[in-house]
Amino acid sequence: MTSPLAPTTLGTDQVRERLHDLTVIDVRTPGEYASGHLPGALNIPLDHIRRALPELRHAAGREDVLLVCASGARSENARKLLAEQGIPAAGLAGGTNGWAARGYDLHRPAACDTRAGWSMERQVRFTAGAVVLLGLLLGVLAHPAFQLLSAGIAGGLVFSALTDTCGMAAVLGKLPHNRPRAADLDATLAALRCR
């Protein structure tokens, strides 16, 4: 059994040196994972982490667990959830974006296996912008009350920044293109059990 990771966040250089000794779990959506992930990373989206707790506990008993997302926010949420269950894990400082910025390799599934998608951040920006524009347009063409839609999105973005949460991302994460296929998640959990 490995000793728990002392730091809760590891730098990209530390991870690169130890990558072969880590169980890397990417907690982004399947579309984001398909756009590029750390070598050897398994995809268990954040909202499926609870289902994977037995496998993650087993993996943490064999080697250190590293949680990864785009920037580090979702992996920190996953790390806290695992910590509450007594499962030690660390996050990657700067996430996959930081890894790529250092020039380190990202793996992408074969073209026939991908469901190419936008990052969650890009989906949120697009959706928020589209709703704001729609609210302003309807406010001019139909009724000024529609401008409240734009104000609601603005308030939601401010709340999101202050609390470091994103309700829109949670809703968008439920869309079919952001959900793992049941067979994919089952295969990932089986691979995690076999490591």
Side-chain angles (χ1 to χ4, degrees):
M1 183 172 177
T2 62
S3 61
L5 293 173
T8 58
T9 304
L10 298 175
T12 52
D13 293 333
Q14 290 174 295
V15 169
R16 186 165 188 246
E17 291 172 11
R18 297 185 52 204
L19 193 58
H20 62 282
D21 294 327
L22 297 169
T23 296
V24 181
I25 306 297
D26 192 317
V27 299
R28 297 175 300 160
T29 67
E32 291 174 292
Y33 174 81
S35 70
H37 54 271
L38 270 68
L42 298 172
N43 184 221
I44 304 174
L46 180 58
D47 58 343
H48 290 274
I49 288 289
R50 288 193 186 278
R51 178 176 170 199
L53 286 174
E55 290 83 0
L56 290 168
R57 184 179 313 282
H58 184 67
R62 291 184 317 258
E63 57 189 11
D64 292 332
V65 173
L66 178 72
L67 302 166
V68 181
C69 67
S71 64
R74 284 178 279 178
S75 58
E76 178 60 15
N77 289 339
R79 190 200 61 76
K80 288 177 182 175
L81 190 146
L82 293 181
E84 290 170 3
Q85 301 297 317
I87 303 171
L92 173 61
T96 306
N97 295 340
W99 179 268
R102 294 281 295 164
Y104 298 146
D105 202 24
L106 290 176
H107 285 201
R108 290 172 178 83
C112 61
D113 296 336
T114 63
R115 292 189 295 172
W118 289 355
S119 70
M120 186 55 67
E121 178 188 355
R122 186 175 181 191
Q123 291 179 55
V124 167
R125 288 192 322 249
F126 175 80
T127 304
V131 172
V132 166
L133 285 175
L134 180 65
L136 292 174
L137 184 63
L138 290 174
V140 170
L141 298 177
H143 191 278
F146 280 108
Q147 292 177 350
L148 291 176
L149 189 61
S150 300
I153 294 296
L157 291 171
V158 170
F159 179 79
S160 175
L162 292 174
T163 62
D164 198 23
T165 61
C166 187
M168 187 178 290
V171 171
L172 291 172
K174 305 244 183 264
L175 294 175
H177 66 277
N178 285 326
R179 307 289 299 163
R181 295 178 207 134
D184 291 345
L185 186 57
D186 291 341
T188 299
L189 296 178
L192 189 55
R193 280 190 291 272
C194 294
R195 280 193 166 189

